[in-house]
Amino acid sequence: MAWLGPEEWQAVALSLRVAGWAVLCSLPLGIFTAHALARWEFPGKQIVNGLVHLPLVLPPVVTGYLLLLTFGVNAPVGGFLKDQGIVFAFRWSGAALAAAVMAFPLMVRAIRLSIEAVDPNLEQAAATLGASRLWVFGTVTLPLILPGILAGAILAFAKAMGEFGATITFVSNIPGQTQTLPSAIYAFLQVPGGESAAIRLVVVSVIVAMAALVASEILAKRIAKRVAGG
């Protein structure tokens, strides 16, 4: 990273911060949602499934605008949160929220597929021995789906690192505050002589994305071997 300028490094650091918090805060909800969609039957299940995957098919700008209408300082939810001292619009935390929303479907899908691959008879056997649902999930299901959780988290991280449309619509492109890596690339391409800085950031984007994918494969295989060996 030594060949990056201060403004470029700032954008990379902010992107890592945004993506990290996006994954960290959405992972528990992602696991719960994936488990509910994979194992439970309840009214409106298909609607919930559609809402979870909606960011995948909506234009990112539309998602960002909906976030602005919901969490803007003058919006009902955003106004209430502002009174509690929590503001998302035009803040780095809003960038994390937008990135989490856009990455959430990928996370849920990866975890859901791993849960569906677990033999339900294993869970039922534990339940017949008197274990609660939470205990069955924690001792039987969770260890078996760790590779899927890891894959979902890293895919979500990579998606959050590259999110642009929803982020720039919701929190704008403020250097040092909301200017993530994709936003910085866009900004550099709009000014004469900014191509070199944009190319450097593109290289960083490729390196981070590839590193995330390789790490996901390696760690998932190690976890899977450990679970199988145990």
PDB file of all heavy atoms in Angstrom, residues 88-120:
ATOM      1  N   PHE A  88     -27.521   7.702  10.020  1.00  0.00           N
ATOM      2  CA  PHE A  88     -26.916   6.897   8.961  1.00  0.00           C
ATOM      3  C   PHE A  88     -26.644   7.708   7.697  1.00  0.00           C
ATOM      4  O   PHE A  88     -25.626   7.514   7.040  1.00  0.00           O
ATOM      5  CB  PHE A  88     -27.823   5.715   8.609  1.00  0.00           C
ATOM      6  CG  PHE A  88     -27.834   4.618   9.647  1.00  0.00           C
ATOM      7  CD1 PHE A  88     -28.939   4.413  10.455  1.00  0.00           C
ATOM      8  CD2 PHE A  88     -26.736   3.793   9.798  1.00  0.00           C
ATOM      9  CE1 PHE A  88     -28.953   3.405  11.395  1.00  0.00           C
ATOM     10  CE2 PHE A  88     -26.729   2.784  10.736  1.00  0.00           C
ATOM     11  CZ  PHE A  88     -27.848   2.585  11.547  1.00  0.00           C
ATOM     12  N   ALA A  89     -27.564   8.585   7.339  1.00  0.00           N
ATOM     13  CA  ALA A  89     -27.443   9.313   6.081  1.00  0.00           C
ATOM     14  C   ALA A  89     -26.191  10.177   6.060  1.00  0.00           C
ATOM     15  O   ALA A  89     -25.905  10.902   7.017  1.00  0.00           O
ATOM     16  CB  ALA A  89     -28.689  10.178   5.857  1.00  0.00           C
ATOM     17  N   PHE A  90     -25.419  10.055   4.962  1.00  0.00           N
ATOM     18  CA  PHE A  90     -24.212  10.848   4.740  1.00  0.00           C
ATOM     19  C   PHE A  90     -23.154  10.634   5.824  1.00  0.00           C
ATOM     20  O   PHE A  90     -22.402  11.540   6.155  1.00  0.00           O
ATOM     21  CB  PHE A  90     -24.570  12.335   4.613  1.00  0.00           C
ATOM     22  CG  PHE A  90     -25.650  12.586   3.599  1.00  0.00           C
ATOM     23  CD1 PHE A  90     -26.934  12.947   3.995  1.00  0.00           C
ATOM     24  CD2 PHE A  90     -25.401  12.429   2.245  1.00  0.00           C
ATOM     25  CE1 PHE A  90     -27.929  13.164   3.066  1.00  0.00           C
ATOM     26  CE2 PHE A  90     -26.390  12.641   1.308  1.00  0.00           C
ATOM     27  CZ  PHE A  90     -27.657  13.010   1.713  1.00  0.00           C
ATOM     28  N   ARG A  91     -23.137   9.428   6.383  1.00  0.00           N
ATOM     29  CA  ARG A  91     -22.121   9.023   7.358  1.00  0.00           C
ATOM     30  C   ARG A  91     -21.511   7.689   6.902  1.00  0.00           C
ATOM     31  O   ARG A  91     -22.119   6.947   6.144  1.00  0.00           O
ATOM     32  CB  ARG A  91     -22.733   8.841   8.752  1.00  0.00           C
ATOM     33  CG  ARG A  91     -23.451  10.081   9.291  1.00  0.00           C
ATOM     34  CD  ARG A  91     -22.466  11.124   9.782  1.00  0.00           C
ATOM     35  NE  ARG A  91     -23.145  12.304  10.300  1.00  0.00           N
ATOM     36  CZ  ARG A  91     -23.546  12.433  11.561  1.00  0.00           C
ATOM     37  NH1 ARG A  91     -23.357  11.451  12.421  1.00  0.00           N
ATOM     38  NH2 ARG A  91     -24.144  13.551  11.955  1.00  0.00           N
ATOM     39  N   TRP A  92     -20.350   7.367   7.427  1.00  0.00           N
ATOM     40  CA  TRP A  92     -19.725   6.087   7.072  1.00  0.00           C
ATOM     41  C   TRP A  92     -20.585   4.917   7.545  1.00  0.00           C
ATOM     42  O   TRP A  92     -20.613   3.852   6.911  1.00  0.00           O
ATOM     43  CB  TRP A  92     -18.319   5.988   7.659  1.00  0.00           C
ATOM     44  CG  TRP A  92     -18.283   5.673   9.126  1.00  0.00           C
ATOM     45  CD1 TRP A  92     -18.223   6.558  10.160  1.00  0.00           C
ATOM     46  CD2 TRP A  92     -18.335   4.376   9.714  1.00  0.00           C
ATOM     47  NE1 TRP A  92     -18.224   5.889  11.360  1.00  0.00           N
ATOM     48  CE2 TRP A  92     -18.280   4.549  11.120  1.00  0.00           C
ATOM     49  CE3 TRP A  92     -18.404   3.086   9.202  1.00  0.00           C
ATOM     50  CZ2 TRP A  92     -18.310   3.469  12.004  1.00  0.00           C
ATOM     51  CZ3 TRP A  92     -18.436   2.006  10.080  1.00  0.00           C
ATOM     52  CH2 TRP A  92     -18.386   2.205  11.463  1.00  0.00           C
ATOM     53  N   SER A  93     -21.300   5.121   8.640  1.00  0.00           N
ATOM     54  CA  SER A  93     -22.182   4.060   9.133  1.00  0.00           C
ATOM     55  C   SER A  93     -23.302   3.786   8.137  1.00  0.00           C
ATOM     56  O   SER A  93     -23.768   2.649   8.005  1.00  0.00           O
ATOM     57  CB  SER A  93     -22.758   4.442  10.496  1.00  0.00           C
ATOM     58  OG  SER A  93     -23.411   5.706  10.431  1.00  0.00           O
ATOM     59  N   GLY A  94     -23.742   4.823   7.421  1.00  0.00           N
ATOM     60  CA  GLY A  94     -24.742   4.631   6.374  1.00  0.00           C
ATOM     61  C   GLY A  94     -24.173   3.836   5.209  1.00  0.00           C
ATOM     62  O   GLY A  94     -24.871   3.025   4.589  1.00  0.00           O
ATOM     63  N   ALA A  95     -22.896   4.059   4.902  1.00  0.00           N
ATOM     64  CA  ALA A  95     -22.238   3.272   3.864  1.00  0.00           C
ATOM     65  C   ALA A  95     -22.188   1.807   4.264  1.00  0.00           C
ATOM     66  O   ALA A  95     -22.385   0.906   3.431  1.00  0.00           O
ATOM     67  CB  ALA A  95     -20.838   3.808   3.604  1.00  0.00           C
ATOM     68  N   ALA A  96     -21.928   1.554   5.546  1.00  0.00           N
ATOM     69  CA  ALA A  96     -21.911   0.175   6.039  1.00  0.00           C
ATOM     70  C   ALA A  96     -23.300  -0.449   5.948  1.00  0.00           C
ATOM     71  O   ALA A  96     -23.443  -1.622   5.595  1.00  0.00           O
ATOM     72  CB  ALA A  96     -21.402   0.143   7.478  1.00  0.00           C
ATOM     73  N   LEU A  97     -24.340   0.336   6.264  1.00  0.00           N
ATOM     74  CA  LEU A  97     -25.703  -0.165   6.167  1.00  0.00           C
ATOM     75  C   LEU A  97     -26.059  -0.509   4.725  1.00  0.00           C
ATOM     76  O   LEU A  97     -26.620  -1.578   4.442  1.00  0.00           O
ATOM     77  CB  LEU A  97     -26.679   0.878   6.716  1.00  0.00           C
ATOM     78  CG  LEU A  97     -28.173   0.555   6.582  1.00  0.00           C
ATOM     79  CD1 LEU A  97     -28.519  -0.716   7.344  1.00  0.00           C
ATOM     80  CD2 LEU A  97     -29.020   1.725   7.077  1.00  0.00           C
ATOM     81  N   ALA A  98     -25.725   0.380   3.789  1.00  0.00           N
ATOM     82  CA  ALA A  98     -26.013   0.131   2.383  1.00  0.00           C
ATOM     83  C   ALA A  98     -25.259  -1.098   1.888  1.00  0.00           C
ATOM     84  O   ALA A  98     -25.813  -1.941   1.163  1.00  0.00           O
ATOM     85  CB  ALA A  98     -25.645   1.352   1.545  1.00  0.00           C
ATOM     86  N   ALA A  99     -23.994  -1.222   2.276  1.00  0.00           N
ATOM     87  CA  ALA A  99     -23.196  -2.377   1.864  1.00  0.00           C
ATOM     88  C   ALA A  99     -23.764  -3.665   2.445  1.00  0.00           C
ATOM     89  O   ALA A  99     -23.804  -4.700   1.771  1.00  0.00           O
ATOM     90  CB  ALA A  99     -21.748  -2.188   2.310  1.00  0.00           C
ATOM     91  N   ALA A 100     -24.224  -3.610   3.693  1.00  0.00           N
ATOM     92  CA  ALA A 100     -24.799  -4.794   4.330  1.00  0.00           C
ATOM     93  C   ALA A 100     -26.069  -5.236   3.620  1.00  0.00           C
ATOM     94  O   ALA A 100     -26.295  -6.429   3.401  1.00  0.00           O
ATOM     95  CB  ALA A 100     -25.081  -4.507   5.802  1.00  0.00           C
ATOM     96  N   VAL A 101     -26.910  -4.280   3.257  1.00  0.00           N
ATOM     97  CA  VAL A 101     -28.161  -4.608   2.566  1.00  0.00           C
ATOM     98  C   VAL A 101     -27.874  -5.249   1.209  1.00  0.00           C
ATOM     99  O   VAL A 101     -28.510  -6.246   0.824  1.00  0.00           O
ATOM    100  CB  VAL A 101     -29.018  -3.336   2.387  1.00  0.00           C
ATOM    101  CG1 VAL A 101     -30.199  -3.605   1.455  1.00  0.00           C
ATOM    102  CG2 VAL A 101     -29.530  -2.851   3.738  1.00  0.00           C
ATOM    103  N   MET A 102     -26.917  -4.717   0.476  1.00  0.00           N
ATOM    104  CA  MET A 102     -26.599  -5.243  -0.848  1.00  0.00           C
ATOM    105  C   MET A 102     -25.920  -6.615  -0.768  1.00  0.00           C
ATOM    106  O   MET A 102     -26.091  -7.461  -1.656  1.00  0.00           O
ATOM    107  CB  MET A 102     -25.701  -4.265  -1.601  1.00  0.00           C
ATOM    108  CG  MET A 102     -26.375  -2.937  -1.933  1.00  0.00           C
ATOM    109  SD  MET A 102     -27.848  -3.127  -2.974  1.00  0.00           S
ATOM    110  CE  MET A 102     -27.122  -3.821  -4.465  1.00  0.00           C
ATOM    111  N   ALA A 103     -25.145  -6.845   0.278  1.00  0.00           N
ATOM    112  CA  ALA A 103     -24.425  -8.109   0.406  1.00  0.00           C
ATOM    113  C   ALA A 103     -25.237  -9.189   1.110  1.00  0.00           C
ATOM    114  O   ALA A 103     -24.905 -10.377   1.005  1.00  0.00           O
ATOM    115  CB  ALA A 103     -23.119  -7.879   1.173  1.00  0.00           C
ATOM    116  N   PHE A 104     -26.294  -8.815   1.788  1.00  0.00           N
ATOM    117  CA  PHE A 104     -27.071  -9.747   2.598  1.00  0.00           C
ATOM    118  C   PHE A 104     -27.602 -10.945   1.805  1.00  0.00           C
ATOM    119  O   PHE A 104     -27.519 -12.082   2.290  1.00  0.00           O
ATOM    120  CB  PHE A 104     -28.222  -8.997   3.267  1.00  0.00           C
ATOM    121  CG  PHE A 104     -28.904  -9.770   4.363  1.00  0.00           C
ATOM    122  CD1 PHE A 104     -28.241 -10.029   5.555  1.00  0.00           C
ATOM    123  CD2 PHE A 104     -30.202 -10.227   4.215  1.00  0.00           C
ATOM    124  CE1 PHE A 104     -28.861 -10.730   6.574  1.00  0.00           C
ATOM    125  CE2 PHE A 104     -30.833 -10.930   5.224  1.00  0.00           C
ATOM    126  CZ  PHE A 104     -30.163 -11.185   6.412  1.00  0.00           C
ATOM    127  N   PRO A 105     -28.146 -10.765   0.595  1.00  0.00           N
ATOM    128  CA  PRO A 105     -28.653 -11.930  -0.146  1.00  0.00           C
ATOM    129  C   PRO A 105     -27.582 -12.974  -0.427  1.00  0.00           C
ATOM    130  O   PRO A 105     -27.855 -14.180  -0.346  1.00  0.00           O
ATOM    131  CB  PRO A 105     -29.185 -11.313  -1.444  1.00  0.00           C
ATOM    132  CG  PRO A 105     -29.462  -9.893  -1.107  1.00  0.00           C
ATOM    133  CD  PRO A 105     -28.432  -9.505  -0.106  1.00  0.00           C
ATOM    134  N   LEU A 106     -26.371 -12.544  -0.763  1.00  0.00           N
ATOM    135  CA  LEU A 106     -25.293 -13.495  -1.040  1.00  0.00           C
ATOM    136  C   LEU A 106     -24.928 -14.276   0.220  1.00  0.00           C
ATOM    137  O   LEU A 106     -24.688 -15.482   0.172  1.00  0.00           O
ATOM    138  CB  LEU A 106     -24.067 -12.756  -1.570  1.00  0.00           C
ATOM    139  CG  LEU A 106     -24.221 -12.052  -2.920  1.00  0.00           C
ATOM    140  CD1 LEU A 106     -22.953 -11.292  -3.270  1.00  0.00           C
ATOM    141  CD2 LEU A 106     -24.560 -13.048  -4.018  1.00  0.00           C
ATOM    142  N   MET A 107     -24.889 -13.580   1.336  1.00  0.00           N
ATOM    143  CA  MET A 107     -24.584 -14.238   2.603  1.00  0.00           C
ATOM    144  C   MET A 107     -25.644 -15.278   2.945  1.00  0.00           C
ATOM    145  O   MET A 107     -25.338 -16.432   3.268  1.00  0.00           O
ATOM    146  CB  MET A 107     -24.481 -13.198   3.719  1.00  0.00           C
ATOM    147  CG  MET A 107     -24.247 -13.784   5.101  1.00  0.00           C
ATOM    148  SD  MET A 107     -24.432 -12.552   6.415  1.00  0.00           S
ATOM    149  CE  MET A 107     -23.044 -11.491   6.064  1.00  0.00           C
ATOM    150  N   VAL A 108     -26.899 -14.878   2.876  1.00  0.00           N
ATOM    151  CA  VAL A 108     -27.994 -15.776   3.240  1.00  0.00           C
ATOM    152  C   VAL A 108     -28.031 -16.988   2.322  1.00  0.00           C
ATOM    153  O   VAL A 108     -28.228 -18.126   2.777  1.00  0.00           O
ATOM    154  CB  VAL A 108     -29.342 -15.019   3.195  1.00  0.00           C
ATOM    155  CG1 VAL A 108     -30.514 -15.991   3.330  1.00  0.00           C
ATOM    156  CG2 VAL A 108     -29.402 -13.978   4.301  1.00  0.00           C
ATOM    157  N   ARG A 109     -27.832 -16.784   1.042  1.00  0.00           N
ATOM    158  CA  ARG A 109     -27.890 -17.896   0.092  1.00  0.00           C
ATOM    159  C   ARG A 109     -26.805 -18.931   0.369  1.00  0.00           C
ATOM    160  O   ARG A 109     -27.070 -20.137   0.364  1.00  0.00           O
ATOM    161  CB  ARG A 109     -27.773 -17.379  -1.344  1.00  0.00           C
ATOM    162  CG  ARG A 109     -27.928 -18.476  -2.385  1.00  0.00           C
ATOM    163  CD  ARG A 109     -28.156 -17.892  -3.759  1.00  0.00           C
ATOM    164  NE  ARG A 109     -28.360 -18.935  -4.748  1.00  0.00           N
ATOM    165  CZ  ARG A 109     -29.496 -19.574  -4.944  1.00  0.00           C
ATOM    166  NH1 ARG A 109     -30.554 -19.258  -4.202  1.00  0.00           N
ATOM    167  NH2 ARG A 109     -29.600 -20.516  -5.869  1.00  0.00           N
ATOM    168  N   ALA A 110     -25.592 -18.473   0.621  1.00  0.00           N
ATOM    169  CA  ALA A 110     -24.500 -19.408   0.899  1.00  0.00           C
ATOM    170  C   ALA A 110     -24.764 -20.198   2.177  1.00  0.00           C
ATOM    171  O   ALA A 110     -24.550 -21.420   2.225  1.00  0.00           O
ATOM    172  CB  ALA A 110     -23.181 -18.647   0.996  1.00  0.00           C
ATOM    173  N   ILE A 111     -25.228 -19.528   3.214  1.00  0.00           N
ATOM    174  CA  ILE A 111     -25.493 -20.207   4.490  1.00  0.00           C
ATOM    175  C   ILE A 111     -26.692 -21.129   4.363  1.00  0.00           C
ATOM    176  O   ILE A 111     -26.693 -22.253   4.891  1.00  0.00           O
ATOM    177  CB  ILE A 111     -25.706 -19.168   5.610  1.00  0.00           C
ATOM    178  CG1 ILE A 111     -24.465 -18.299   5.781  1.00  0.00           C
ATOM    179  CG2 ILE A 111     -26.042 -19.865   6.924  1.00  0.00           C
ATOM    180  CD1 ILE A 111     -24.631 -17.163   6.765  1.00  0.00           C
ATOM    181  N   ARG A 112     -27.716 -20.700   3.635  1.00  0.00           N
ATOM    182  CA  ARG A 112     -28.906 -21.529   3.465  1.00  0.00           C
ATOM    183  C   ARG A 112     -28.571 -22.828   2.742  1.00  0.00           C
ATOM    184  O   ARG A 112     -29.048 -23.900   3.123  1.00  0.00           O
ATOM    185  CB  ARG A 112     -29.971 -20.752   2.687  1.00  0.00           C
ATOM    186  CG  ARG A 112     -31.252 -21.553   2.450  1.00  0.00           C
ATOM    187  CD  ARG A 112     -32.265 -20.753   1.676  1.00  0.00           C
ATOM    188  NE  ARG A 112     -33.469 -21.520   1.414  1.00  0.00           N
ATOM    189  CZ  ARG A 112     -34.524 -21.055   0.753  1.00  0.00           C
ATOM    190  NH1 ARG A 112     -34.524 -19.807   0.300  1.00  0.00           N
ATOM    191  NH2 ARG A 112     -35.587 -21.813   0.567  1.00  0.00           N
ATOM    192  N   LEU A 113     -27.758 -22.748   1.709  1.00  0.00           N
ATOM    193  CA  LEU A 113     -27.369 -23.955   0.971  1.00  0.00           C
ATOM    194  C   LEU A 113     -26.611 -24.919   1.877  1.00  0.00           C
ATOM    195  O   LEU A 113     -26.790 -26.142   1.781  1.00  0.00           O
ATOM    196  CB  LEU A 113     -26.516 -23.579  -0.236  1.00  0.00           C
ATOM    197  CG  LEU A 113     -27.255 -22.878  -1.383  1.00  0.00           C
ATOM    198  CD1 LEU A 113     -26.273 -22.441  -2.462  1.00  0.00           C
ATOM    199  CD2 LEU A 113     -28.325 -23.792  -1.979  1.00  0.00           C
ATOM    200  N   SER A 114     -25.775 -24.389   2.758  1.00  0.00           N
ATOM    201  CA  SER A 114     -25.035 -25.260   3.665  1.00  0.00           C
ATOM    202  C   SER A 114     -25.955 -25.909   4.695  1.00  0.00           C
ATOM    203  O   SER A 114     -25.751 -27.062   5.072  1.00  0.00           O
ATOM    204  CB  SER A 114     -23.921 -24.477   4.362  1.00  0.00           C
ATOM    205  OG  SER A 114     -24.462 -23.492   5.220  1.00  0.00           O
ATOM    206  N   ILE A 115     -26.976 -25.191   5.132  1.00  0.00           N
ATOM    207  CA  ILE A 115     -27.932 -25.764   6.090  1.00  0.00           C
ATOM    208  C   ILE A 115     -28.763 -26.847   5.417  1.00  0.00           C
ATOM    209  O   ILE A 115     -29.014 -27.915   6.001  1.00  0.00           O
ATOM    210  CB  ILE A 115     -28.843 -24.658   6.659  1.00  0.00           C
ATOM    211  CG1 ILE A 115     -28.034 -23.682   7.517  1.00  0.00           C
ATOM    212  CG2 ILE A 115     -29.975 -25.263   7.491  1.00  0.00           C
ATOM    213  CD1 ILE A 115     -28.827 -22.491   8.020  1.00  0.00           C
ATOM    214  N   GLU A 116     -29.189 -26.600   4.194  1.00  0.00           N
ATOM    215  CA  GLU A 116     -29.994 -27.600   3.477  1.00  0.00           C
ATOM    216  C   GLU A 116     -29.198 -28.861   3.174  1.00  0.00           C
ATOM    217  O   GLU A 116     -29.781 -29.920   2.945  1.00  0.00           O
ATOM    218  CB  GLU A 116     -30.527 -26.980   2.189  1.00  0.00           C
ATOM    219  CG  GLU A 116     -31.588 -25.901   2.425  1.00  0.00           C
ATOM    220  CD  GLU A 116     -32.036 -25.216   1.156  1.00  0.00           C
ATOM    221  OE1 GLU A 116     -31.318 -25.338   0.138  1.00  0.00           O
ATOM    222  OE2 GLU A 116     -33.094 -24.552   1.179  1.00  0.00           O
ATOM    223  N   ALA A 117     -27.876 -28.757   3.167  1.00  0.00           N
ATOM    224  CA  ALA A 117     -27.040 -29.926   2.914  1.00  0.00           C
ATOM    225  C   ALA A 117     -26.874 -30.797   4.156  1.00  0.00           C
ATOM    226  O   ALA A 117     -26.405 -31.938   4.067  1.00  0.00           O
ATOM    227  CB  ALA A 117     -25.668 -29.491   2.411  1.00  0.00           C
ATOM    228  N   VAL A 118     -27.250 -30.294   5.325  1.00  0.00           N
ATOM    229  CA  VAL A 118     -27.156 -31.059   6.564  1.00  0.00           C
ATOM    230  C   VAL A 118     -28.347 -32.010   6.655  1.00  0.00           C
ATOM    231  O   VAL A 118     -29.494 -31.610   6.435  1.00  0.00           O
ATOM    232  CB  VAL A 118     -27.135 -30.114   7.790  1.00  0.00           C
ATOM    233  CG1 VAL A 118     -27.156 -30.921   9.085  1.00  0.00           C
ATOM    234  CG2 VAL A 118     -25.911 -29.213   7.739  1.00  0.00           C
ATOM    235  N   ASP A 119     -28.086 -33.250   6.975  1.00  0.00           N
ATOM    236  CA  ASP A 119     -29.144 -34.257   7.095  1.00  0.00           C
ATOM    237  C   ASP A 119     -30.064 -33.898   8.266  1.00  0.00           C
ATOM    238  O   ASP A 119     -29.618 -33.857   9.421  1.00  0.00           O
ATOM    239  CB  ASP A 119     -28.518 -35.630   7.331  1.00  0.00           C
ATOM    240  CG  ASP A 119     -29.547 -36.761   7.296  1.00  0.00           C
ATOM    241  OD1 ASP A 119     -30.762 -36.455   7.195  1.00  0.00           O
ATOM    242  OD2 ASP A 119     -29.139 -37.930   7.367  1.00  0.00           O
ATOM    243  N   PRO A 120     -31.348 -33.646   7.995  1.00  0.00           N
ATOM    244  CA  PRO A 120     -32.275 -33.297   9.090  1.00  0.00           C
ATOM    245  C   PRO A 120     -32.395 -34.390  10.140  1.00  0.00           C
ATOM    246  O   PRO A 120     -32.751 -34.116  11.288  1.00  0.00           O
ATOM    247  CB  PRO A 120     -33.615 -33.084   8.360  1.00  0.00           C
ATOM    248  CG  PRO A 120     -33.241 -32.812   6.934  1.00  0.00           C
ATOM    249  CD  PRO A 120     -32.008 -33.613   6.689  1.00  0.00           C
TER     250      PRO A 120
END
